[in-house]
Amino acid sequence: MKILTANRLTDGEAVWFAADGSWAETIDVAETVGDKAGEARLEAIGKAAYDNNEVVDVNLIDVSVVNGAIQPLRLREVIRAAGPSNRLDLGKQARPAAGAA
């Protein structure tokens, strides 16, 4: 499965394209696709957002869904989704909503 990720141009925040059509700051609401047509659709959405100067560094990334939770397969994306691996008090993992997820 794949999801679309990028960095928001205004502040550099890592974001993921959500099923509701927005760019979400948490990976848990990212829209997942499992076929080439879905990948092409997400790539077109990412290109349009890039062209509109909304996001940069747009990429489709590989994920798995385990017990309903989206989990990136590459360490780089795990860190982007959570925050620094050596400072658990920083990044997305330190936000109040992170403990509830």
Side-chain angles (χ1 to χ4, degrees):
M1 301 192 83
K2 294 196 184 272
I3 60 175
L4 184 65
T5 186
N7 290 85
R8 194 168 42 218
L9 191 58
T10 56
D11 61 5
E13 180 82 21
V15 292
W16 294 267
F17 185 76
D20 68 3
S22 67
W23 288 96
E25 292 185 5
T26 57
I27 196 169
D28 59 329
V29 296
E31 179 178 345
T32 58
V33 296
D35 59 17
K36 293 295 181 189
E39 291 176 21
R41 185 177 57 76
L42 287 183
E43 285 180 330
I45 290 167
K47 181 178 181 336
Y50 176 83
D51 290 345
N52 289 332
N53 292 319
E54 298 169 24
V55 295
V56 294
D57 194 24
V58 181
N59 292 293
L60 282 178
I61 63 166
D62 294 313
V63 297
S64 61
V65 178
V66 179
N67 296 325
I70 298 172
Q71 298 181 346
L73 298 183
R74 294 185 56 218
L75 179 59
R76 174 185 189 268
E77 301 304 329
V78 171
I79 293 169
R80 287 182 75 239
S85 58
N86 64 337
R87 290 282 308 269
L88 301 181
D89 59 323
L90 300 175
K92 295 176 189 294
Q93 64 207 3
R95 295 180 184 166

